[in-house]
Amino acid sequence: MPKTAATPPQPGADPSRWKALVFIALAQLMVVLDATIVNIALPSAQTDLGISDGNRQWVITAYALAFGGLLLFGGRIADKWGRKNAFVVGLIGFALASALGGAANGEAMMLGSRALQGAFGALLAPAALSLLAVMFTDAKERAKAFGIYGAIAGGGGAVGLILGGVLTEYLDWRWTFFVNIPFAVIAAVGAWMVIREPAGSRNRAPLDIPGVVLSTLGLVALVYGFTRAESAGWSDAVTVGMFVASVVLLAAFVFVESKVKSPLLPLRVLLERNRGGVYLSLGLAVIAMFGLFLFLTYYLQVVKGYSPVMTGFAFLPMIAGMITGSTQIGARLMTRVAPRLLMAPGFLLAATGMLLLTQLEVGSSYPALILPAQLLLGLGMGTAFMPAMSLSTHGVNPSDAGVASAMVNTSQQVGGAIGTALLNTIAASATTAYLTDHAAEAAAGGAAAKLIQAQAMVEGYSSAIWWAVGILVASSVIALTFINTGRPGAGGPVASGSGSAEDSEFKIPVIAH
């Protein structure tokens, strides 16, 4: 395939952009790590702080609610205030909140620190991604930068499982919080010294307060609804009430955004088909991935008897696959083929790996089944994540880059909450059905009963993983049908969207129109 000439960097391109990428990637790694590192430490923290079984989920939920609910607000603040400023303040705040969590002496202090981490993460995450969008304008450079970012975004959660296991087993659960501090300090100092945000990229419009209130409450209701469904059930009155409230609030948000002069989330950001395709396909893919992290962690620890550290290291093939798929496949081909020809096959390859895991049994071999499945999953997701991250700011005005970046983070955060609740509920139902069918054997007691219990758990995981396969196939179909932009320099189809003047002011060079 002939190589295409790289688009020359825009005049005045920041000579320190590659140094800046190091600190942006470090900050992204910290945020993604935090999504999973606390999970492994939670049992120890619960015991030390006297947190009840009923309230322990709030250690995870407090973070998810603040992070998911405030992302759009954080993205717009970054657009208005400056992405470098938002990035540095987000890092400092995240470090202070982490220190508070590590020093927690009770339930209230722990939950408060987690909510603060989520709030500052909601400022930090969109600022990081939008900085890449406005600093890297050359097609090949942009592909490499987003390849690195995509690998971290995809593999960081698995790294968190390893690090969480090591810190909890050999040091103390408090270090799963304290470890964020050096990450944040190094990234903040480095970013302050080397990042030079392009001039004229801020959004000076007044803040849309009704939009902030409606979007935050709507997203919080949605995330909490799915989180509560996992523990209280889908028919629970509060669960149903949260879903109804989220639909009403988000519908009101869309209506307000269509009417106000300076919306929090301009609808043109959502309605451009390539960006919309990314948000939807990536959100669905994350549903499948978060569910898998949960099931494999429990399978390896409870069924196979792995220690926390062994469980963490068992995820290494997935991390290796994600890094390879993102930096060696996605980044190398991004400037040669249309993005949908990376995303759609990538999601299908991940679905193939997931399909292997539907064959899980109590005695399944790690080298023969789990390792190859993880490699396929990692390669597929890494290949798809890289162009998805790049396209999340496709065709936006620089002044909208923060809120466009926030949308891809929002789709992942909401997808993670949905994935954990939905797939866990499916697994629990299948496990219960299996135990009901084998009640007589389970009642016998002894080794036979333990085996039935393990087989019931695996049956639940397998049933849920079948759903994850279907979700990844749906992601592939959406990527193939929604995303229609061509490769750089190929004169691909013009992306349909709002066609607004603002949308046409800033075309990211990696996309050909």
Side-chain angles (χ1 to χ4, degrees):
M1 183 179 291
K3 294 184 178 181
T4 57
T7 306
Q10 290 184 353
D14 185 359
S16 299
R17 59 194 177 278
W18 288 108
K19 293 179 183 177
L21 175 62
V22 173
F23 302 113
I24 293 169
L26 186 64
Q28 173 65 9
L29 177 62
M30 181 188 72
V31 172
V32 176
L33 280 176
D34 204 71
T36 54
I37 194 172
V38 176
N39 289 359
I40 287 182
L42 184 54
S44 300
Q46 180 186 355
T47 302
D48 280 1
L49 300 178
I51 301 173
S52 68
D53 286 348
N55 287 341
R56 67 182 175 187
Q57 65 164 335
W58 282 100
V59 177
I60 307 300
T61 304
Y63 179 87
L65 289 178
F67 191 72
L70 294 172
L71 268 167
L72 288 176
F73 182 42
R76 185 52 87 195
I77 289 295
D79 286 335
K80 284 179 64 64
W81 192 18
R83 293 163 196 88
K84 176 180 174 178
N85 293 334
F87 184 73
V88 172
V89 169
L91 282 166
I92 295 170
F94 201 92
L96 292 174
S98 298
L100 192 66
N105 57 12
E107 181 177 316
M109 191 171 171
M110 168 60 73
L111 299 184
S113 71
R114 290 292 285 164
L116 279 175
Q117 277 187 311
F120 283 108
L123 181 63
L124 172 61
L129 184 56
S130 56
L131 276 171
L132 290 189
V134 298
M135 292 179 71
F136 287 89
T137 55
D138 174 80
K140 288 188 175 180
E141 285 189 355
R142 187 177 168 84
K144 291 177 184 175
F146 275 96
I148 294 168
Y149 189 91
I152 291 170
V159 174
L161 295 172
I162 296 174
L163 194 56
V166 170
L167 292 174
T168 302
E169 194 163 324
Y170 295 116
L171 291 174
D172 185 80
W173 66 264
R174 296 181 185 276
W175 282 97
T176 61
F177 288 89
F178 291 145
V179 73
N180 290 328
I181 298 172
F183 277 98
V185 170
I186 293 169
V189 172
W192 188 257
M193 293 176 64
V194 305
I195 290 179
R196 300 289 181 270
E197 195 171 348
S201 63
R202 292 193 190 183
N203 188 327
R204 303 291 185 180
L207 192 61
D208 170 24
I209 300 298
V212 169
V213 173
L214 289 169
S215 67
T216 300
L217 292 178
L219 288 171
V220 164
L222 183 63
V223 173
Y224 181 58
F226 276 102
T227 303
R228 184 176 174 85
E230 185 181 357
S231 57
W234 297 95
S235 60
D236 174 72
V238 177
T239 302
V240 174
M242 286 295 107
F243 286 135
V244 171
S246 71
V247 170
V248 172
L249 288 165
L250 292 175
F253 171 67
V254 171
F255 177 77
V256 167
E257 298 308 274
S258 69
K259 300 297 182 184
V260 298
K261 185 177 180 182
S262 303
L264 173 70
L265 176 61
L267 295 184
R268 61 180 175 270
V269 172
L270 289 177
L271 296 179
E272 199 277 324
R273 66 182 294 165
N274 292 281
R275 291 194 296 266
V278 165
Y279 303 147
L280 188 55
S281 63
L282 201 57
L284 286 172
V286 170
I287 290 176
M289 288 299 294
F290 266 65
L292 180 73
F293 282 152
L294 180 72
F295 299 141
L296 269 187
T297 299
Y298 273 91
Y299 174 79
L300 294 171
Q301 287 196 38
V302 178
V303 178
K304 305 294 282 186
Y306 285 24
S307 70
V309 172
M310 285 178 65
T311 300
F313 279 100
F315 280 94
L316 277 176
M318 188 184 299
I319 300 171
M322 283 181 174
I323 293 172
T324 303
S326 188
T327 61
Q328 300 304 310
I329 301 175
R332 289 177 182 273
L333 295 181
M334 184 65 182
T335 56
R336 302 182 183 186
V337 301
R340 66 177 179 175
L341 299 183
L342 289 174
M343 290 180 64
F347 288 135
L348 276 183
L349 187 61
T352 304
M354 199 74 82
L355 187 63
L356 288 180
L357 290 175
T358 62
Q359 306 306 307
L360 268 183
E361 296 176 356
V362 172
S364 292
S365 163
Y366 177 86
L369 178 66
I370 299 172
L371 188 150
Q374 285 198 53
L375 283 174
L376 290 174
L377 271 162
L379 281 170
M381 293 300 284
T383 300
F385 260 65
M386 201 286 296
M389 290 294 177
S390 181
L391 281 176
S392 65
T393 50
H394 166 73
V396 295
N397 186 308
S399 62
D400 288 335
V403 76
S405 302
M407 268 306 302
V408 76
N409 282 286
T410 300
S411 69
Q412 291 181 76
Q413 188 66 25
V414 173
I418 293 172
T420 303
L422 177 64
L423 297 182
N424 202 40
T425 303
I426 292 168
S429 298
T431 296
T432 301
Y434 188 91
L435 287 172
T436 302
D437 291 342
H438 297 79
E441 299 165 74
K450 289 184 178 180
L451 179 60
I452 290 296
Q453 185 67 39
Q455 287 173 335
M457 291 176 65
V458 174
E459 179 71 19
Y461 301 155
S462 179
S463 298
I465 290 170
W466 271 110
W467 280 78
V469 172
I471 290 168
L472 283 171
V473 171
S475 293
S476 177
V477 172
I478 289 168
L480 195 63
T481 54
F482 277 60
I483 297 169
N484 70 341
T485 185
R487 65 180 175 84
V494 178
S496 63
S498 61
S500 69
E502 259 195 49
D503 247 27
S504 64
E505 287 176 19
F506 179 73
K507 298 299 183 187
I508 294 171
V510 78
I511 308 301
H513 289 269

